Amino acid sequence: MGTSRDVERRTILKAAGASVAALGLAATTGCGGSGGTSADGTVTLRYAWWGGEPRAIAIKKTIALFEKKHPKIRVKPEFTDYEAFWEKFQTQASGGNPPDVFQNAVGFLRKYDRRGVLMDLKSQADAGNLKLENFRNGVLANGQADGKQIAVPVGANTMALVIDRKAFEKAGVQAKFGWTWDEYFDALQTVRDKLRIAGDTGYFSIMYLYDLYLRQHGKAFFTEDGLGFTQDDLTQWWEDGYKRVKSGLVADPKKVEQVKPKSALSAGLAASEFTWDNFSIRYEGEGESDYGLAPIPTTDGKDTGQYLGSLMLSAFAGTEHPEQAARFIDFMVHDPEVGSIMGYDRGILATTEQYAAFTPTDPTAKGVAAYEEEVATAGVLGKITPHPSGADVVEAAFLRIGGEVAQGRTKPPEAARTLFGEAKAAFAG
């Protein structure tokens, strides 16, 4: 769902941010998407996703399982990293030839629905080819827009604060549910004073974290057709962030750049970093400390503004094989064995069948499951913020411009004006 210093998402849609050119798409011609039908009636579907090699290995296992149970449907895999995926997808969509089924995210739903790319899956549900039941914690709504079901979640995640446990313990500070932003920044100051490292890696360029902060104040980053905050709101957010960079509370952005693709947290430059909870697996692999998930700070001591985001599957509206595409999606989101294979690679499993089928064994996955359970039990989860067409471009711009603020290259008032200007162009594109 957003930017969060994860390796995949740090590439952050350079392709999508570079162009908002309209797509001339004949979505219902049936000329694209499908691999065709063989003489014996076997159908071939193209299935595309982004992600690393472990995800590709797991998904290929699920494809083999599907083909074994559906011998008349073959699935051709297409996968790459996040940036390259959306570069390629934009080209495919422009030519009316996107994959039959593909991984999707909330920032792209309205963009490609408006261009006629996405199938309304309700018709296939009505035909009995796809079940829209048994989704956990209301995540099915994440794939809905303008009265249509244009994507189906495969996993769910939420924003979290990843902390260096050893650093927090050594500094004598504790993260707890209900703590306020003032208490959070006080804790980071204590870390800075006692350990001589920054408290945070660069929170104020993370769009989805700012969305939570706005939600805590009765606003939101996006409305259904634009931005849900003012230039003054954003100027204040970035001014506060830059002050904390200058004071050493937030890590030096030049040093953060130097350690990439490694995280500044796992590199020891800071004691905490905001990200999506299921991305936390990267820190144990990169760093030499002990890392854990901590609660989002609040404004009122209770409301975190959190919601469950999702990775989702969509189908091409112009596929030659809508029934088979829907049956494939149904299998991938409901089959228990698929859940056992995928685990929490794409977030906590979205359906009850798959959630029950997988028991995490490693400490990181157990920690993610426990964190989401704690958040759900706390009763703070709300509905996901609507994302208008162009949200992907705005996300890329927010990361880029926030980085310019952090490095002192752009003053916050000018940066806010620039963001609003680019957002206006993105929404009109």
Side-chain angles (χ1 to χ4, degrees), residues 113-421:
D113 181 47
R114 191 175 71 176
R115 290 157 169 77
V117 176
L118 307 183
M119 180 192 299
D120 184 355
L121 295 166
K122 285 183 179 179
S123 61
Q124 291 299 319
D126 292 341
N129 300 322
L130 170 64
K131 297 189 298 294
L132 297 179
E133 297 90 26
N134 300 338
F135 286 86
R136 301 176 63 250
N137 296 320
V139 296
L140 182 64
N142 292 4
Q144 297 169 359
D146 304 320
K148 294 178 286 187
Q149 189 77 47
I150 50 179
V152 176
V154 292
N157 57 6
T158 190
M159 287 293 293
L161 176 68
V162 182
I163 62 171
D164 182 327
R165 285 190 176 126
K166 292 181 180 179
F168 267 55
E169 290 172 4
K170 191 172 181 180
V173 296
Q174 185 177 10
K176 58 186 184 298
F177 259 98
W179 64 341
T180 65
W181 287 99
D182 287 342
E183 289 172 329
Y184 170 65
F185 289 123
D186 286 346
L188 300 193
Q189 187 64 60
T190 301
V191 169
R192 172 69 181 170
D193 293 343
K194 292 188 175 182
L195 306 185
R196 312 309 300 171
I197 62 171
D200 179 89
T201 63
Y203 70 94
F204 56 88
S205 63
I206 302 173
M207 187 193 80
Y208 285 99
L209 179 66
Y210 186 45
D211 184 30
L212 299 193
Y213 181 82
L214 289 167
R215 288 162 66 96
Q216 292 177 19
H217 289 81
K219 300 184 179 182
F221 195 98
F222 291 119
T223 64
E224 290 195 5
D225 57 4
L227 300 177
F229 58 97
T230 68
Q231 287 190 40
D232 288 342
D233 292 332
L234 182 56
T235 296
Q236 186 64 56
W237 174 258
W238 275 339
E239 282 181 344
D240 290 346
Y242 183 61
K243 288 176 183 177
R244 293 183 177 112
V245 172
K246 297 297 287 183
S247 69
L249 199 65
V250 171
D252 182 342
K254 294 180 181 178
K255 293 182 179 179
V256 172
E257 287 293 324
Q258 289 171 358
V259 300
K260 286 181 179 180
K262 197 172 188 179
S263 161
L265 174 61
S266 49
L269 298 180
S272 67
E273 178 165 288
F274 290 96
T275 187
W276 296 99
D277 57 5
N278 65 309
F279 291 171
S280 59
I281 189 171
R282 71 173 297 202
Y283 302 99
E284 297 292 346
E286 288 182 350
E288 299 179 356
S289 190
D290 181 25
Y291 307 96
L293 296 175
I296 298 292
T298 71
T299 298
D300 60 5
K302 180 182 178 181
D303 183 16
T304 64
Q306 285 172 275
Y307 48 82
L308 292 179
S310 303
L311 280 181
M312 297 175 269
L313 296 182
S314 290
F316 174 40
T319 177
E320 295 176 2
H321 308 295
E323 176 184 338
Q324 290 85 351
R327 291 190 181 280
F328 178 66
I329 292 175
D330 182 81
F331 184 84
M332 288 297 168
V333 300
H334 288 289
D335 185 86
E337 195 170 349
V338 171
S340 297
I341 293 170
M342 295 306 304
Y344 293 165
D345 177 84
R346 296 176 294 191
I348 300 294
L349 293 156
T351 60
T352 55
E353 300 98 320
Q354 293 192 347
Y355 182 78
F358 176 73
T359 301
T361 56
D362 66 276
T364 301
K366 286 182 178 179
V368 172
Y371 176 77
E372 289 203 10
E373 183 66 27
E374 191 172 8
V375 171
T377 302
V380 299
L381 288 173
K383 294 182 179 180
I384 194 168
T385 304
H387 285 55
S389 177
D392 56 317
V393 179
V394 178
E395 181 182 354
F398 193 88
L399 179 70
R400 185 191 77 249
I401 298 168
E404 293 172 356
V405 170
Q407 296 180 48
R409 297 205 305 263
T410 306
K411 294 186 180 300
E414 178 186 348
R417 285 194 298 272
T418 301
L419 187 282
F420 269 71

